[in-house]
Amino acid sequence: MENVSWKVEGMSCTNCALTIHKYLEEKGVDNVKVNFIGGEVNFDLNDTTKKTILLKGIESLGYHVKNETIPAESKATTRWNLRFTNHGQRFLFCAVFTLPLMLDMFVHSHFLMNPYVQLALTLPVYWVGIKFFGKSAIKSLRNGIPNMNVLIALGATAAFIYSLYGMLIGRAADFMFFETTAAIITLVFLGNWLEDKSVETTQKAIRSLAITQKTKANMIAFDDQHQEQIFQVESESLRVGDLILINSGEPVPMDCKILWGEAKVNESLLTGESIPVQKTMKDLLIGGSTLESGTVKAQVTAVGKDTVLSNILNLVKQAQAEKPPVQQLADKISAIFVPTVISIAMLTLIGNYFFTDIGFGNSLLRGIAVLVISCPCAMGLATPAAIAVGLGRAAKNGILFKNARSLEVFKDIQQVVFDKTGTLTTGHFSITQFETNIDINTFQSIVASLEKYAAHPIAKAIVKEWKPLAHTHFTKVEEIKGLGMKGVDAEGNVYMATSYKQVADLTTDHFHNVYITKNNAILGWLDVEDTIRPEAVQVMQQLHQKNIRTILLSGDSQANCEKVAAIAGIDTVFGEQTPEQKLQTIARLTTQAPTAMIGDGINDAPALAKATVGISLSDASHIAMQSAQVVLMNHGLTHLPLALGLGKHTYQTIRENLFWAFFYNIIAIPIAAFGYLNPAMGALAMGLSDVVLAINSVRLNYKKVV
């Protein structure tokens, strides 16, 4: 199965996205996600031979897939659009002809009042408008999801035909609405242009990440004399295994591993942290980061879609395409909005004509005003615009939301559960003391030989210090989740490296981290020391200020957990928990109140998946990152309050946008129906309504959310 990601041009509203979504689902593709703001279309395709058919189909709907080979017969349908590549160009072209028509409103000129002059000025505008709005309208009707362009095309065409009819029967003065036709089309193009610019701003943070993917690289090669040669290439031409040279001040072109040298690296683009990170031989460099000082030679480990940055961008784009629950009502209304507005416009025309004395011409104008002032786009834009900004700001600060639902759910979080080792603490352990009743070297050999097979940070720290002494041979070694390490030697002796919980019946000394047993008899113990993350205390204070309960949930001893909780200022402690108990505790807490869980280990994965929202750190185990819905990329907890705040304020912005979208249409349609707004002003108001939503969404970039 191939995952297809296309950049599609021409989507201007949520109904456009619904049209493409419906078409792809009818063609049998899976996991369809359409984001009309970013122009992103993603889906899974079983049969790659269908790709050409799908390309033609999307082209026939009135949209264009960039960077894909489109069959020649389909390209012909976009020939006119190539002359006007955006709404700004269409607006400027139409404005040249519309301004003289509008001038007649202020300066009465017999020349401009001539119906043939007005027709000549209106025709180019109407032609450009109908080529764009009319074509889109017809295709949307054909696909059963009428879009906003149906309303614009109907309004402009009604005014144009009415004026043309009056001119042909010799009563042009009574039927002269040519300027209405031109004004509607021109001002809608202006509104769309302003909307495009505003919506483009909502994508600013994501675009800045994408731009960093394209850079130059110093590639290392060897000539026939085995002399090192360095030459510049485009980063996109690099392949896995290539050798590159990165100098001070240069960006890292692709993910790579340092083979020689050391440097301080600024990873703020990905983590939001401006403090450089020291990197030495064998350390990994993330493509898009920058060497602030030093020089390194490195080997490329990932390129293209496999790089960390590309995966982040892909996840953010997929999250943008998802619809949180709050958008479902707006989508249902958008689907029936256009037919409803057309019905209201017809009722406005008929009602004004039969029950007032304003005549058919003015009744028609009011009906047209209803058509062009209505804005289904606003309801479709309300959620995507806010989510685009929220996800973009999060990504720039090293917060990766894997789906849009997480943003919305964060508003309800009442308690946050922390794992201890590697989450609240740095995970950098050192052995502080140990005691044994056997030979010291033998004891250290047994411990190191057992722990070298474990993935836990404590085990890794022990092995790091005692690895040279790991000479004990075991015929079988296994890690028992929640218990520790178990080994069996050639003579059948069973050794365990475990916690106090498993040796409670053997000793009352419960103050140590790791106990070593042989055939259920204690050989000794050792203590390791970890340091609490420097930001932990401040993060807890910020959470408490938001009335969020903090909980420590760990497999470590109760005494150690309580010690850490006291330093960090955590409310509740659950220590000595097995993975199964962690899962049960999280399940219970989640039923009590919406709960976020933060963890980094393999044993945290089930609990992360069970929590209302699972959060992992960027240096967490792979399975923990897969189970979490949110990843903090800055190697710490610093941005946890920001993540929670962004979730809450993004949802708040969505609600504000939806309120404006509904309020605008509920107020604007009656105003137009009762003749208080002419079609030209209605067309401009319609375009500006979307701009208001985009501007309100962009405020998320600057609001204080913590």
Side-chain angles (χ1 to χ4, degrees), residues 3 48 60 101 137 153 172 174 193 238 250 260 268 345 383 433 439 458 589 592 639:
N3 180 260
T48 55
S60 70
L101 289 169
D174 299 325
W193 183 31
L238 291 173
E250 293 181 345
W260 171 88
S268 61
T383 297
Q433 58 181 338
D439 177 69
I458 290 179
L589 291 171
Q592 295 171 0
H639 289 325

Side-chain angles (χ1 to χ4, degrees), residues 203-457:
Q203 297 285 88
K204 183 178 179 181
I206 303 302
R207 282 204 320 277
S208 66
L209 286 176
I211 289 171
T212 60
Q213 290 186 298
K214 299 178 181 180
T215 185
K216 296 283 187 181
N218 302 314
M219 189 170 177
I220 300 174
F222 296 90
D223 59 21
D224 54 0
Q225 302 297 318
H226 303 289
Q227 296 296 314
E228 191 176 89
Q229 301 294 328
I230 299 173
F231 53 95
Q232 278 201 340
V233 297
E234 295 289 338
S235 60
E236 296 172 339
S237 66
L238 291 173
R239 297 291 179 266
V240 174
D242 285 347
L243 300 179
I244 56 176
L245 173 70
I246 312 172
N247 296 310
S248 178
E250 293 181 345
V252 178
M254 290 289 173
D255 292 0
C256 53
K257 181 171 68 174
I258 297 176
L259 301 179
W260 171 88
E262 59 181 44
K264 288 187 176 180
V265 184
N266 186 332
E267 297 180 338
S268 61
L269 181 75
L270 302 165
T271 66
E273 292 294 324
S274 58
I275 300 175
V277 180
Q278 184 72 24
K279 299 281 186 176
T280 58
M281 192 170 64
K282 295 185 179 180
D283 284 341
L284 296 176
L285 298 176
I286 300 173
S289 55
T290 303
L291 261 68
E292 288 205 347
S293 63
T295 299
V296 299
K297 293 179 183 178
Q299 185 175 41
V300 176
T301 57
V303 297
K305 294 181 180 179
D306 297 326
T307 63
V308 172
L309 183 56
S310 289
N311 281 317
I312 289 173
L313 286 168
N314 187 47
L315 284 171
V316 171
K317 289 173 182 177
Q318 288 184 27
Q320 284 182 327
E322 290 185 351
K323 294 176 181 176
V326 72
Q327 179 65 15
Q328 294 174 359
L329 175 62
D331 281 350
K332 290 177 181 178
I333 293 176
S334 294
I336 61 170
F337 187 88
V338 173
T340 302
V341 169
I342 293 173
S343 300
I344 294 173
M346 291 298 297
L347 289 174
T348 299
L349 170 62
I350 295 169
N352 278 283
Y353 180 68
F354 286 106
F355 298 104
T356 68
D357 57 357
I358 63 175
F360 182 81
N362 287 323
S363 299
L364 178 64
L365 277 182
R366 292 185 179 183
I368 292 172
V370 169
L371 289 174
V372 299
I373 202 172
S374 306
C375 189
C377 285
M379 286 178 286
L381 184 65
T383 297
I387 286 178
V389 178
L391 291 174
R393 181 174 176 183
K396 288 289 288 183
N397 284 279
I399 305 166
L400 179 58
F401 287 92
K402 293 185 179 179
N403 52 61
R405 174 188 169 275
S406 302
L407 270 172
E408 182 175 340
V409 171
F410 261 171
K411 76 181 189 304
D412 298 319
I413 294 299
Q414 296 178 25
Q415 48 193 11
V416 178
V417 178
F418 297 87
D419 175 47
K420 184 179 80 70
T421 306
T423 302
L424 273 176
T425 62
T426 61
H428 299 147
F429 293 91
S430 60
I431 300 172
T432 56
Q433 58 181 338
F434 67 92
E435 185 177 297
T436 180
N437 53 25
I438 63 174
D439 177 69
I440 291 177
N441 290 334
T442 303
F443 177 73
Q444 291 177 327
S445 175
I446 292 170
V447 175
S449 299
L450 275 175
E451 297 287 31
K452 70 180 181 181
Y453 296 101
H456 197 280

Side-chain angles (χ1 to χ4, degrees), residues 436-494:
T436 180
N437 53 25
I438 63 174
D439 177 69
I440 291 177
N441 290 334
T442 303
F443 177 73
Q444 291 177 327
S445 175
I446 292 170
V447 175
S449 299
L450 275 175
E451 297 287 31
K452 70 180 181 181
Y453 296 101
H456 197 280
I458 290 179
K460 291 181 178 179
I462 294 171
V463 173
K464 185 177 180 181
E465 292 193 39
W466 289 354
K467 187 175 181 179
L469 302 170
H471 302 309
T472 302
H473 178 69
F474 294 107
T475 58
K476 180 182 178 182
V477 179
E478 61 178 323
E479 182 175 6
I480 303 174
K481 294 291 184 262
L483 296 179
M485 297 302 299
K486 177 182 178 181
V488 181
D489 65 14
E491 298 174 358
N493 296 307
V494 179

Side-chain angles (χ1 to χ4, degrees), residues 133 148 152 183-193 683-684 686:
F133 298 119
M148 177 197 75
I152 306 303
I184 289 172
I185 292 171
T186 303
L187 291 175
V188 170
F189 278 141
L190 172 61
N192 288 348
W193 183 31
L684 183 60
M686 184 273 292

Side-chain angles (χ1 to χ4, degrees), residues 16 32 71 127 131 195 212 229 234 276 304 310 324 387 407 484 507 523 542 562 602 635 663 690:
C16 297
V32 181
W127 178 251
K131 286 286 288 185
E195 177 191 336
T212 60
Q229 301 294 328
E234 295 289 338
S310 289
I387 286 178
L407 270 172
T507 179
L523 297 181
Q542 290 175 312
E562 288 177 352
I602 294 174
H635 309 290
F663 176 79
D690 289 345

